[in-house]
Amino acid sequence: MRSTFTGTAGAYRLTLLAGAACALALPSMASAQDAEPEVGSEESSNVIIVTASKREQTLQETPISVSVTSGDVLEQAQIRDVLDLQTVTPSLRVSQLQSASATTFIIRGFGNGDNNFGIEPSVGVFIDGVFRSRSAAALSDLNMIQRIEVLNGPQSTLFGKNASAGVISVVTKEPQYEFGGLAEVSYGNYNALVVRGEVTGPIAENVAFSLDGSYNRRDGYAEIVNLDNDVSNRNRWSARGQLLIEPTADLKIRMIADYGKIDEDCCLVSTLVAGPTAPAIFGVGGALDTNFFSYNTFLSQVPRNTVDNYGGSIQADWSTGALTFTSITAYRELKNFLDQDVDFTSADVVTETRDQEVQTFTQELRVSSDFEGPINFLLGGFYFDESIQQDSALTTGADARTFFALLTGNPLTFNGVEAGLGLPQGSIFSAGPLTAEQYAMDNTAWSVFGTLDFEPVDGLIFTAGFNYTDDKKDFALAQQSFDELSNTNLVDAFITGATLQNPGIPDVFTRAQFQALPSAVQQGLLAVATNPCTPTSEAGTCNALLGLTPFQFQPPFLTIPNAVEPGQTRDDKFTYLLRAAYQVSNEINIYASYATGFKASSVNLSRDSRPAFGDFIPGPGRSSFAAPASPVTNAGLGVANLGTGSRFAGPENAEVYELGLKAQWDGFGFNLALFDQTIKGFQSFLFTGTGFQLNNAGQQSVRGFELDATIRPSDNLVFTFAATHLDPTFDDFTASPVGNLTGFRPGGIPAWSLATSATHTLEIGSNKLITRVDYAHESNVDINNGLPTFNGLVTARRDPRIFQRETNLVNASTIFQLENGLEVGLWARNLLDDQFIITVFDGVAQAGTVSGYPNQPRTYGGLVRYKF
């Protein structure tokens, strides 16, 4: 006889590559929600139902470290989107950076993929079982939510794609056969207006529907002073429709279609340090504000970001005897457009546009058993097919030429260079296109996975799970670079000029001509051509052009695929799970597990993509003439000023050891997880001041624990407390943008993250007054390990100029619920107006300047809600 503590084999999800039509022909079981009441809210009890293991179980029974936020808590705490979710989930960190769509999810200190569509996030986001492959596709307001589960650590044997760091699983409410719904209007400071509603009910005896939508508009909390325009506003809406069809007791079909739209001016960038380039900004009439928390900024244009995110899914469940078949078929499209000033000053220096589109199809099918005997299983598969298209461009502004000329110390520098190189006067940094870029990537992946549970005695379950994934990416990148200076190699130009002036040396215009010179002549020319001039240099002993090298921001681009680089990645990996779980008593459960995880290669879909060293070997000063033999050079593919870097980062491989204890008594419960987690080849994507560097960190590990507890001293009072302690280390990271970080603590990962709350319900006759206060804290931490330009290479001693962050957020709400369904409330987020730096980066093309993102200031308001 099976115990009430079920293993996760029957709880995992299985996918075979069957199509939706086939899936709909298969009947399925009704969910446990139909058989038992929803108890996911703190107000109903301290028992929480979750599906982290792909089967509805109590949180106590689930042998996974998981944090759960119920729909009631989302309403009470006024958590509108995933950005606010981190205030109640200490293992999760969410950062929104330069645009509304540039959002990073981090669990236990691991996460990436915010600013490059070629990099899939290490934290997988699933909404109603459907994988959202880019963070921009998961930013809609949280409406009609049943619960959100945050699964900590690798989850590759449960979820089919990119869960090497963890999973955020959003579960919406199913349609109900009883008519009901709600309507809500909220108004707050910054003219914040939120309108949302939902309605559900029967269409026929076995068919139910639901509709929900939200509209969220708010003025920006920051001001572009010179343009008299606010920034960091809110302007988004979403809508979703669902059908639930249950033609028989064994078959359930759930159809969902949704659309979300974001059209915002985002986001505020402030200046922390005005570097030595600031006088040049002022010299062209520009301005900047170094009062970081003034929420004032100066820009040459309003930053615009639009996101269209829509799609649909069909889930079919059929049960026959002890077997359950489930299929989820989904298709989604994501369109992201941004147009913004990327020098972040009011000087018109450079702007960027991106136009991105993602089309994604997923299909999964699982079959799981629920036998009476000691063995149960799950077997399935997952199919993923995605295409990405991106057109980007940089545009040189009207102030760029004067600004860069002032940085040289001579406003006529470029005129002299143009005359010397035979370029048209006024061509260097002329206003107009700087680059035009075209990127594309197709990704197909499939996986098979399974779990086997063995329960030799009641309460003791041994679980073994596996996942085999095959991932293929084909990508193409092309770019046109229009700046004449960047199209000229200054070493080669000097050599050409020197040979033209020396009748004893043959004229050199090509690499072949240079290589044909006697070795001694080559070395003599290179010695002078690569020697920068100083105030004491003698004429003919140095190359005065080398002083212009820092201004060659966008050199020509080597198109890929080409004869040397195929423009593809091919990855496959077998991962597995071993776990023992034991129900000590009705109140206490323990487990121990070892799991591995996998994330396939990520592609650098940006202008910073470069061939790997070995495929190409640049000459001194990136000289093409003196470039050693390499496949790229030998194939005649070299372009001026070509450097090396990476086209892609290899796979991430994760492993975690975990011990867990879950206990639940009347009025008190807690969950504790101890873990030792490692990711080999963590895909690091960091800004260097003029571009982004993508490479693999050799190994990053973290040890720590997660604790959450609920105390209910009375029916009217609930306390929660959650804590995460992290002790991370770069075990091996020799090629970071700031040097060898091996042995260092990774920046941005606080040692302590706390989240605590108190909820009190005062009954006034048949009415209720519900008051909630919550507090979120992150201990003081270095935001990063230094900035490549501002801090330079790391040393054994910590640089005191590294910026730090500590957060102390207090949120509060009070809601008066009348018996007739009407609710009136007040709410505040960041009630004490705590100020902290989200992150910092080197000023774009402004050496010594540091820019960053300040947090959102205090917001507050009132609401009226009616439930029926």
Side-chain angles (χ1 to χ4, degrees):
M1 180 174 182
R2 289 185 61 81
S3 69
T4 58
F5 178 69
T6 57
T8 61
Y12 287 171
R13 176 172 182 184
L14 245 274
T15 347
L16 282 177
L17 312 176
C22 176
L24 292 175
L26 298 175
S28 131
M29 82 171 182
S31 72
Q33 182 181 346
D34 300 327
E36 60 186 82
E38 179 184 342
V39 288
S41 69
E42 293 175 350
E43 283 62 51
S44 59
S45 77
N46 57 3
V47 177
I48 299 176
I49 301 297
V50 299
T51 53
S53 59
K54 302 303 178 186
R55 168 180 294 171
E56 290 204 343
Q57 299 173 286
T58 67
L59 183 60
Q60 178 192 359
E61 292 174 329
T62 305
I64 300 170
S65 177
V66 54
S67 302
V68 183
T69 305
S70 69
D72 287 342
V73 170
L74 296 176
E75 283 188 355
Q76 293 169 9
Q78 287 297 294
I79 295 175
R80 298 291 186 190
D81 55 32
V82 289
L83 289 173
D84 294 331
L85 185 63
Q86 60 189 322
T87 60
V88 294
T89 308
S91 288
L92 173 68
R93 179 168 181 79
V94 185
S95 297
Q96 179 177 287
L97 302 179
Q98 74 183 69
S99 65
S101 56
T103 301
T104 304
F105 304 117
I106 299 170
I107 292 179
R108 290 180 177 173
F110 297 105
N112 50 22
D114 65 296
N115 202 34
N116 188 313
F117 271 22
I119 303 175
E120 296 169 298
S122 299
V123 175
V125 178
F126 292 78
I127 299 180
D128 290 321
V130 176
F131 177 53
R132 301 294 180 94
S133 65
R134 298 299 181 277
S135 60
L139 297 179
S140 297
D141 285 356
L142 299 174
N143 201 38
M144 203 170 174
I145 302 299
Q146 180 174 325
R147 66 184 176 275
I148 300 176
E149 304 172 10
V150 177
L151 285 64
N152 305 315
Q155 306 294 332
S156 292
T157 54
L158 287 85
F159 296 85
K161 181 76 170 170
N162 289 355
S164 60
V167 163
I168 301 172
S169 177
V170 180
V171 181
T172 65
K173 300 175 185 176
E174 283 190 351
Q176 301 296 306
Y177 289 100
E178 181 178 350
F179 183 77
L182 69 80
E184 177 184 311
V185 177
S186 173
Y187 184 79
N189 60 333
Y190 302 108
N191 288 319
L193 175 65
V194 177
V195 180
R196 71 183 190 97
E198 58 188 66
V199 61
T200 186
I203 296 178
E205 181 180 359
N206 297 317
V207 181
F209 81 98
S210 69
L211 296 171
D212 69 270
S214 67
Y215 172 71
N216 187 342
R217 186 201 61 78
R218 185 199 68 209
D219 293 343
Y221 57 77
E223 183 77 12
I224 307 175
V225 176
N226 58 300
L227 300 180
D228 191 25
N229 198 99
D230 58 81
V231 69
S232 289
N233 67 344
R234 275 283 187 271
N235 184 24
R236 55 183 65 180
W237 63 269
S238 63
R240 175 171 47 228
Q242 299 189 54
L243 278 179
L244 180 64
I245 305 172
E246 297 179 289
T248 70
D250 298 323
L251 174 62
K252 180 173 72 172
I253 302 169
R254 185 183 183 189
M255 304 179 183
I256 304 174
D258 66 273
Y259 191 102
K261 174 76 173 183
I262 297 175
D263 187 356
E264 296 177 352
D265 301 335
C266 190
C267 298
L268 171 66
V269 174
S270 294
T271 303
L272 270 168
V273 178
T277 61
I281 294 290
F282 304 143
V284 295
L288 48 82
D289 189 338
T290 55
N291 182 354
F292 191 75
F293 291 106
S294 69
Y295 296 98
N296 289 328
T297 190
F298 292 83
L299 298 172
S300 61
Q301 68 176 55
V302 177
R304 184 185 172 211
N305 187 200
T306 63
V307 180
D308 292 272
N309 173 38
Y310 51 91
S313 66
I314 301 174
Q315 177 170 340
D317 299 299
W318 176 50
S319 64
T320 174
L323 297 179
T324 299
F325 297 85
T326 298
S327 172
I328 303 177
T329 306
Y331 176 79
R332 302 204 59 80
E333 291 195 9
L334 170 67
K335 297 179 180 179
N336 181 54
F337 175 81
L338 62 86
D339 183 4
Q340 62 184 166
D341 173 0
V342 291
D343 60 85
F344 304 112
T345 72
S346 58
D348 186 10
V349 178
V350 63
T351 59
E352 179 185 21
T353 60
R354 293 186 203 171
D355 193 355
Q356 301 164 308
E357 183 172 350
V358 183
Q359 298 176 334
T360 308
F361 172 80
T362 58
Q363 171 64 54
E364 54 183 317
L365 177 71
R366 65 180 180 265
V367 55
S368 60
S369 70
D370 190 14
F371 299 128
E372 289 296 325
I375 294 178
N376 275 277
F377 73 92
L378 176 142
L379 181 65
F382 176 83
Y383 179 73
F384 176 88
D385 189 352
E386 180 172 83
S387 65
I388 298 174
Q389 298 286 333
Q390 175 175 327
D391 293 315
S392 307
L394 291 176
T395 301
T396 305
D399 296 330
R401 181 180 173 94
T402 304
F403 168 68
F404 291 122
L406 290 174
L407 292 183
T408 70
N410 181 354
L412 300 178
T413 292
F414 297 131
N415 299 87
V417 172
E418 289 159 347
L421 296 178
L423 301 174
Q425 285 294 307
S427 59
I428 296 176
F429 292 122
S430 58
L434 180 60
T435 67
E437 306 145 21
Q438 306 84 37
Y439 311 136
M441 184 174 77
D442 292 322
N443 180 196
T444 58
W446 59 269
S447 63
V448 292
F449 53 93
T451 57
L452 181 69
D453 282 353
F454 175 56
E455 187 174 13
V457 297
D458 284 354
L460 176 63
I461 298 178
F462 296 101
T463 300
F466 78 95
N467 179 301
Y468 177 78
T469 296
D470 184 278
D471 186 281
K472 298 179 181 179
K473 293 183 174 74
D474 295 279
F475 54 94
L477 295 85
Q479 174 181 313
Q480 299 77 49
S481 301
F482 302 109
D483 179 59
E484 286 79 358
L485 181 61
S486 294
N487 277 273
T488 303
N489 181 267
L490 302 176
V491 172
D492 293 349
F494 180 90
I495 291 174
T496 297
T499 57
L500 288 173
Q501 295 176 12
N502 191 332
I505 303 176
D507 296 343
V508 173
F509 297 96
T510 67
R511 178 178 183 273
Q513 292 171 337
F514 180 77
Q515 296 290 326
L517 296 176
S519 178
V521 176
Q522 293 182 36
Q523 296 304 314
L525 287 170
L526 280 175
V528 180
T530 58
N531 183 32
C533 290
T534 68
T536 60
S537 296
E538 297 182 5
T541 65
C542 64
N543 183 356
L545 294 174
L546 294 181
L548 298 173
T549 302
F551 300 99
Q552 296 181 304
F553 300 113
Q554 296 301 324
F557 186 89
L558 178 59
T559 298
I560 184 173
N562 53 56
V564 174
E565 302 172 290
Q568 60 182 220
T569 65
R570 298 292 185 264
D571 302 315
D572 65 283
K573 185 69 175 181
F574 179 86
T575 58
Y576 58 95
L577 162 74
L578 300 172
R579 180 172 56 227
Y582 183 57
Q583 183 178 11
V584 178
S585 66
N586 289 334
E587 295 80 20
I588 299 175
N589 297 66
I590 59 175
Y591 69 89
S593 66
Y594 172 77
T596 61
F598 171 72
K599 175 187 164 186
S601 298
S602 286
V603 177
N604 193 355
L605 289 184
S606 81
R607 64 186 69 92
D608 305 305
S609 173
R610 297 287 185 274
F613 186 85
D615 286 342
F616 176 68
I617 303 174
R622 295 187 296 184
S623 166
S624 298
F625 293 173
S630 67
V632 167
T633 298
N634 296 346
L637 299 173
V639 295
N641 292 315
L642 182 61
T644 59
S646 67
R647 299 294 197 179
F648 59 89
E652 293 181 354
N653 293 285
E655 68 173 2
V656 61
Y657 297 87
E658 188 167 303
L659 297 174
L661 169 65
K662 302 195 173 190
Q664 188 73 58
W665 296 274
D666 289 341
F668 175 67
F670 76 92
N671 304 306
L672 174 66
L674 310 176
F675 56 86
D676 185 344
Q677 183 172 330
T678 300
I679 290 187
K680 297 179 180 179
F682 179 73
Q683 295 167 359
S684 172
F685 187 63
L686 298 174
F687 185 64
T688 62
T690 56
F692 287 87
Q693 178 176 315
L694 172 66
N695 58 4
N696 292 99
Q699 181 171 298
Q700 181 177 336
S701 63
V702 62
R703 295 179 178 179
F705 68 82
E706 293 152 343
L707 170 70
D708 66 81
T710 301
I711 305 172
R712 186 183 295 269
S714 69
D715 290 341
N716 297 327
L717 184 61
V718 178
F719 296 104
T720 67
F721 176 81
T724 296
H725 175 65
L726 301 175
D727 183 17
T729 302
F730 281 124
D731 302 303
D732 177 20
F733 194 9
T734 59
S736 87
V738 293
N740 187 355
L741 290 176
T742 301
F744 281 72
R745 180 187 180 96
I749 305 175
W752 290 96
S753 298
L754 309 176
T756 185
S757 72
T759 303
H760 181 260
T761 301
L762 176 64
E763 296 185 358
I764 306 173
S766 56
N767 307 313
K768 294 180 180 180
L769 179 65
I770 301 175
T771 302
R772 175 187 170 92
V773 178
D774 63 69
Y775 169 67
H777 167 75
E778 287 185 357
S779 59
N780 197 36
V781 64
D782 288 348
I783 292 176
N784 51 38
N785 292 100
L787 300 173
T789 301
F790 182 73
N791 299 105
L793 297 180
V794 296
T795 63
R797 173 177 289 182
R798 175 187 174 276
D799 188 339
R801 298 180 303 163
I802 291 178
F803 297 93
Q804 296 183 314
R805 174 185 65 239
E806 179 179 336
T807 67
N808 294 280
L809 294 174
V810 176
N811 308 304
S813 66
T814 183
I815 299 175
F816 186 53
Q817 297 180 341
L818 299 175
E819 183 182 17
N820 61 7
L822 182 64
E823 301 179 3
V824 181
L826 300 172
W827 57 269
R829 297 196 62 79
N830 192 9
L831 178 62
L832 302 184
D833 205 20
D834 185 36
Q835 295 180 335
F836 55 89
I837 305 168
I838 298 175
T839 193
V840 296
F841 57 93
D842 280 318
V844 178
Q846 301 169 66
T849 291
V850 178
S851 303
Y853 301 95
N855 70 299
Q856 181 173 298
R858 174 174 48 226
T859 55
Y860 53 87
L863 66 89
V864 177
R865 182 188 300 135
Y866 180 65
K867 293 183 177 181
F868 55 91

